[in-house]
Amino acid sequence: MFVNKHKDLIVQKYSADDEDERLVRDRSHNLEYLTTMRYIQKFVKPGAKILEIGAATGRYSIALAKMGYNVTAVDLTPKYVEVMKRKARKLKNFQCMVADALDLSMFKDKTFDMVLNLGPMYHLFNEKDKKQAVKETLRVAKKGAVCMFAYISHASMITNYGLRHDMVYNVFSEMDETGRVRDIPEDIFMSFYVEDFKKLFNRTKSKYITNVATDGIAPMMPDWIDRLSKKAYDAFVKWHFMTCERPDQQGYSSHLLYICKKQ
Ligand SMILES: C[S@@+](CC[C@H](N)C(=O)[O-])C[C@H]1O[C@@H](n2cnc3c(N)ncnc32)[C@H](O)[C@@H]1O
């Protein structure tokens, strides 16, 4: 079960963080935003009713509301929901509230035209909770609605955490026969092999569309990317957009986006 202690730890860690600043911190972080937004805009229909689960301070949700969509945003961290309320107080087509991705019972079945689960899957450590979050997300989506799930790739734990922070020994000290290292609940982040994430959708009423490497190689070399000239950076972004659905690009992307359609 998603025990309260773990939930409290997540809220505590996020409350101490500045999630509002994360997606604009540098080019590497911003690439995740640009790529995710690009796919949202690719699939969203005019006038759509959108739910974002794990919306934090509303980077995506408020931008989407400003584009005219009817947006509902939920998050587990009350402090972030307060920030969203403040930021969006003039928007009539936006509402937000505290809610847990595992229990969206405040919403009826088949309510939304698009459901974005952009954060909760990073923090669920047991199979039952992971499946429950997928089930709830799909439940509130209308038939034919596109649903997107952000998750963390396992290889990025080695590169962006283990190697960068000289934690390689710790990271590799508990490794299984597939090269999978242990996720650390105390650190609150959980990562997936792509194939394991896809398995969560077995026997659900959904059809796979694609899997996107939203930040690709950028988190491995953020300083280099920041030093690129505008022309070179634009060329890199163009290449990233062209290749981010390729299996070759998936493993080392910190963030991945699973996109499917509710059946
Ligand atoms: C890394 S942030 C992502 C925020 C934003 N969607 C983005 O992509 O930048 C993860 C967010 O998910 C929220 N969260 C974590 N577990 C959740 C859960 N079970 N239900 C709802 N929100 C959750 C956290 O409070 C945090 O705001």
Side-chain angles (χ1 to χ4, degrees), residues 29-198:
H29 286 85
N30 195 233
L31 190 63
E32 179 196 339
Y33 177 80
L34 294 176
T35 310
T36 304
M37 218 23 149
R38 186 177 163 88
Y39 279 88
I40 293 171
Q41 289 181 284
K42 177 173 174 178
F43 290 107
V44 75
K45 302 257 166 49
K49 203 171 164 187
I50 303 174
L51 172 67
E52 186 186 1
I53 312 162
T57 55
R59 279 263 165 217
Y60 293 100
S61 282
I62 293 176
L64 290 165
K66 285 182 177 164
M67 289 174 205
Y69 300 104
N70 185 334
V71 180
T72 301
V74 302
D75 198 277
L76 195 60
T77 305
K79 181 180 150 186
Y80 288 167
V81 174
E82 285 313 309
V83 174
M84 273 196 277
K85 275 192 187 142
R86 227 175 20 248
K87 279 174 36 180
R89 64 186 180 282
K90 292 196 178 131
L91 294 170
K92 301 270 179 281
N93 53 336
F94 178 88
Q95 57 164 335
C96 60
M97 65 207 72
V98 174
D100 183 344
L102 301 185
D103 176 11
L104 301 173
S105 51
M106 68 285 285
F107 305 121
K108 291 190 181 134
D109 296 1
K110 302 179 188 157
T111 302
F112 298 96
D113 303 300
M114 174 174 267
V115 187
L116 308 169
N117 180 322
L118 302 181
M121 304 308 290
Y122 306 167
H123 304 295
L124 299 171
F125 280 80
N126 70 55
E127 265 329 270
K128 193 169 164 230
D129 290 343
K130 291 172 198 171
K131 286 187 176 157
Q132 173 67 12
V134 167
K135 193 173 154 201
E136 275 297 81
T137 302
L138 293 174
R139 180 184 66 76
V140 297
K142 288 180 188 167
K143 197 172 170 195
V146 169
C147 299
M148 303 191 183
F149 297 79
Y151 65 107
I152 297 176
S153 92
H154 189 59
S156 78
M157 282 293 188
I158 313 287
T159 52
N160 299 327
Y161 178 76
L163 291 172
R164 179 159 315 158
H165 300 289
D166 199 8
M167 294 282 286
V168 174
Y169 174 72
N170 295 19
V171 168
F172 286 147
S173 61
E174 289 181 60
M175 181 167 58
D176 72 11
E177 66 286 355
T178 70
R180 202 185 190 300
V181 300
R182 191 172 73 89
D183 288 298
I184 309 160
E186 308 84 87
D187 282 349
I188 75 166
F189 284 98
M190 153 80 207
S191 63
F192 290 87
Y193 277 147
V194 174
E195 78 234 34
D196 290 334
F197 196 82
K198 288 182 176 171

Side-chain angles (χ1 to χ4, degrees), residues 31-32 35 151-157 159-160 192 194 211-220 240 244 248-257:
L31 190 63
E32 179 196 339
T35 310
Y151 65 107
I152 297 176
S153 92
H154 189 59
S156 78
M157 282 293 188
T159 52
N160 299 327
F192 290 87
V194 174
N211 195 68
V212 181
T214 49
D215 39 18
I217 59 164
M220 281 198 286
H240 167 78
C244 61
D248 329 46
Q249 301 288 10
Q250 314 262 318
Y252 292 104
S253 187
S254 264
H255 298 88
L256 294 165
L257 190 67

